[in-house]
């Protein structure tokens, strides 16, 4: 089966992007990367992608007169690259309904919490403030509502005594780097599909296993 063509959207350091690039290096992996796009020209992830021989472009959203103009330029780049699946990887720009609908069920995002808990920014600070014992990360299909949409994979991550937002973020990030390649594999291979706004696995009809990492 032909490998699905993936574009990765970033805004910053690009560590999740790197995890996806590494997964795509395996010939047996059902996806390959055709483009990396950042809305911030200074994003360190752009250089990481270029060093790995990938086409990486910046389109600075501040240079566009409107959100619609930025999104239509973005859409054009993605289509020119032959994109079949978009992966947001630390992409910090909200996309409007028009764009989101065009890429319905072909557009993934990663968020550093166990959604639907802790949508939005500063998740780790809020988790610590609430005294939550288990947090995690989620890969989900993108919908118009921010940090919402059918869940493909999640990892649960313990909150440890003495954690700071930074130490917790680092533990969650390590789990992100494991579940994103796993989730993209499920989607690109066709094993994961959306039915009634939930993700089901083709073979079993069951929800994908929850990943626990580090393993209990
Ligand atoms: C990750 O924690 C991701 O979940 C969130 O932003 C961060 C991006 O990190 N959306 P990186 O750019 O992938 O290193």
């Amino acid at each position: 089966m032909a490998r699905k063509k993936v574009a990765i959207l970033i805004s910053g350091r690009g560590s999740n992007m790197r995890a996806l690039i590494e997964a795509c290096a395996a010939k047996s992996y059902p996806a390959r990367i055709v483009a990396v796009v950042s809305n911030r020209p200074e994003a360190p992830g752009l250089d990481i992608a270029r060093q790995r021989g990938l086409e990486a472009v910046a389109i600075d959203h501040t240079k566009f007169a409107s959100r619609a103009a930025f999104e239509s330029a973005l859409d054009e780049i993605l289509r020119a690259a032959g994109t079949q699946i978009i992966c947001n990887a630390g992409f910090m720009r909200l996309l409007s309904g028009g764009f989101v609908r065009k890429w319905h069920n072909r557009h993934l995002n990663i968020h550093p919490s166990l959604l639907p808990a802790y949508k939005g920014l500063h998740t780790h600070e809020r988790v610590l403030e609430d005294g939550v014992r288990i947090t995690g990360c989620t890969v989900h299909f993108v919908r118009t509502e921010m940090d919402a949409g059918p869940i493909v994979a999640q990892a649960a991550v313990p909150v440890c005594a003495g954690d700071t937002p930074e130490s917790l973020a680092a533990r969650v990030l390590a789990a992100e780097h494991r579940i994103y390649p796993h989730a993209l594999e499920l989607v690109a291979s066709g094993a994961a599909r959306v039915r009634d706004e939930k993700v089901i696995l083709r073979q079993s009809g069951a929800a994908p296993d929850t990943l626990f990492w580090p393993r209990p």
Side-chain angles (χ1 to χ4, degrees), residues 148-166:
I151 291 169
V152 183
Q154 291 186 304
V157 174
V159 179
C160 300
D163 258 338
T164 60
E166 293 72 31

Side-chain angles (χ1 to χ4, degrees), residues 139-185:
V139 177
H140 64 95
F141 283 100
V142 172
R143 294 292 184 261
T144 46
E145 189 194 331
M146 184 185 66
D147 299 329
I151 291 169
V152 183
Q154 291 186 304
V157 174
V159 179
C160 300
D163 258 338
T164 60
E166 293 72 31
S167 65
L168 185 55
R171 195 176 307 117
V172 171
L173 191 66
E176 293 182 43
H177 297 163
R178 293 176 58 126
I179 61 162
Y180 213 167
H182 174 67
L184 177 58
E185 185 173 6

Side-chain angles (χ1 to χ4, degrees), residues 5-208:
K5 296 176 189 167
V6 171
I8 304 180
L9 305 187
I10 62 168
S11 299
R13 87 192 138 179
S15 72
N16 277 292
M17 172 202 74
R18 200 177 51 221
L20 294 176
I21 292 172
E22 280 162 14
C24 288
K27 290 233 155 49
S28 57
Y29 194 77
R32 65 187 178 91
I33 295 161
V34 292
V36 171
V37 184
S38 173
N39 65 313
R40 295 211 177 107
E42 72 282 7
L46 284 170
D47 278 340
I48 298 174
R50 287 179 190 135
Q51 279 156 18
R52 285 162 173 74
L54 292 169
E55 199 59 50
V57 294
I59 46 166
D60 185 347
H61 67 271
T62 64
K63 301 277 193 294
F64 289 83
S66 65
R67 193 178 287 272
F70 165 72
E71 289 176 358
S72 107
L74 175 61
D75 193 65
E76 211 166 287
I77 290 172
L78 297 174
R79 287 181 197 280
T83 305
Q84 295 171 294
I85 299 172
I86 304 173
C87 290
N88 289 8
F91 183 67
M92 303 304 282
R93 187 99 191 124
L94 280 179
L95 293 161
S96 66
F99 184 94
V100 168
R101 276 189 289 276
K102 276 189 210 157
W103 293 93
H104 189 75
N105 289 349
R106 297 183 296 146
H107 189 179
L108 296 171
N109 181 48
I110 186 154
H111 182 74
S113 77
L114 287 176
L115 291 174
Y118 299 103
K119 294 176 180 175
L121 296 173
H122 310 299
T123 53
H124 308 302
E125 284 86 344
R126 288 186 284 142
V127 158
L128 290 172
E129 218 166 272
D130 290 346
V132 164
R133 295 303 183 91
I134 297 171
T135 183
C137 47
T138 303
V139 177
H140 64 95
F141 283 100
V142 172
R143 294 292 184 261
T144 46
E145 189 194 331
M146 184 185 66
D147 299 329
I151 291 169
V152 183
Q154 291 186 304
V157 174
V159 179
C160 300
D163 258 338
T164 60
E166 293 72 31
S167 65
L168 185 55
R171 195 176 307 117
V172 171
L173 191 66
E176 293 182 43
H177 297 163
R178 293 176 58 126
I179 61 162
Y180 213 167
H182 174 67
L184 177 58
E185 185 173 6
L186 289 174
V187 172
S189 66
R193 284 171 196 280
V194 180
R195 191 190 292 161
D196 298 333
E197 284 300 272
K198 287 188 185 59
V199 171
I200 52 156
L201 283 185
R202 187 178 50 193
Q203 286 88 345
S204 63

